[in-house]
Amino acid sequence: MEIVRWAKSKGWNVTAEVTPHHLLLTDELVRTYNPVYKVNPPLRTEADVLALRAALADGTIDCVATDHAPHPHEDKDCEWPAAAMGMVGLETALSVVQQTMVDTGLLDWAGVADRMSFRPAAISGIAGQGRPVTAGSPPTSPWSIPITVETWTPRASPPAAATPPTRAVSCRDASPTPSCGAGQR
């Protein structure tokens, strides 16, 4: 993270991202040799996880990117050396960010919106994203995200490797659901 901080201090156009699983999971899980934890870059120590969280909070890391990589069952249900790299993360990304960043006081919800929507859109040059949300203004997306306190249970999915490895922790349900906004039907 120090190289990214240094480059940003020079005014260079540098961006950095972190995955939800790197904010939550540690290399202790790799010791099980469960291929679901085989990712690139590999999971790191608790100290590294805490450093990533701090860097996301202070803006050194610009955004959260899921690196959503579902694999066919046979590519993850095998020996460690033969297993594919990557894991799914889309289903639990918001819950993991809430647990690791909001619940710990490192970010507020405006910071979450910044790191998971506004900054990624700005970096990608997507116009119309990132404007302030104000009462009565039209939505930029016809989606709402209801947050409930129930523990999320992964649905059965054809590829077993699509079950999020973050299932080992209690995550709040944050499944996007269609919603009508500002006259949309």
Side-chain angles (χ1 to χ4, degrees):
M1 296 299 18
E2 292 311 312
I3 293 172
V4 175
R5 280 189 183 97
W6 174 80
K8 286 185 175 203
S9 76
K10 299 286 186 188
W12 297 347
N13 188 16
V14 175
T15 61
E17 66 183 39
V18 65
T19 64
H21 52 272
H22 285 100
L23 292 171
L24 179 68
L25 307 175
T26 70
D27 61 351
E28 290 296 318
L29 294 167
V30 175
R31 295 172 195 239
T32 67
Y33 287 98
N34 182 337
V36 75
Y37 301 113
K38 185 176 179 183
V39 296
N40 189 18
L43 298 176
R44 306 292 185 179
T45 67
E46 180 72 18
D48 292 322
V49 168
L50 296 175
L52 290 172
R53 291 179 188 177
L56 183 62
D58 72 22
T60 301
I61 295 177
D62 300 283
C63 58
V64 177
T66 65
D67 191 35
H68 187 69
H71 293 286
H73 178 76
E74 59 273 9
D75 288 351
K76 282 298 215 180
D77 190 19
C78 57
E79 298 81 16
W80 182 272
M85 296 277 194
M87 65 175 61
V88 297
L90 188 59
E91 294 92 341
T92 57
L94 182 60
S95 293
V96 170
V97 171
Q98 177 185 351
Q99 179 180 341
T100 60
M101 302 302 294
V102 177
D103 293 352
T104 61
L106 292 170
L107 280 180
D108 59 13
W109 283 106
V112 172
D114 180 66
R115 305 316 190 278
M116 294 187 79
S117 178
F118 303 154
R119 283 196 198 185
I123 290 166
S124 301
I126 300 173
Q129 280 293 100
R131 65 179 164 76
V133 177
T134 57
S137 67
T140 57
S141 172
W143 294 91
S144 66
I145 302 179
I147 306 296
T148 60
V149 295
E150 291 86 26
T151 300
W152 182 77
T153 304
R155 291 180 200 83
S157 180
T163 301
T166 52
R167 70 183 179 276
V169 299
S170 176
C171 292
R172 291 184 178 101
D173 182 12
S175 303
T177 56
S179 172
C180 293
Q184 295 178 349
R185 297 212 184 259

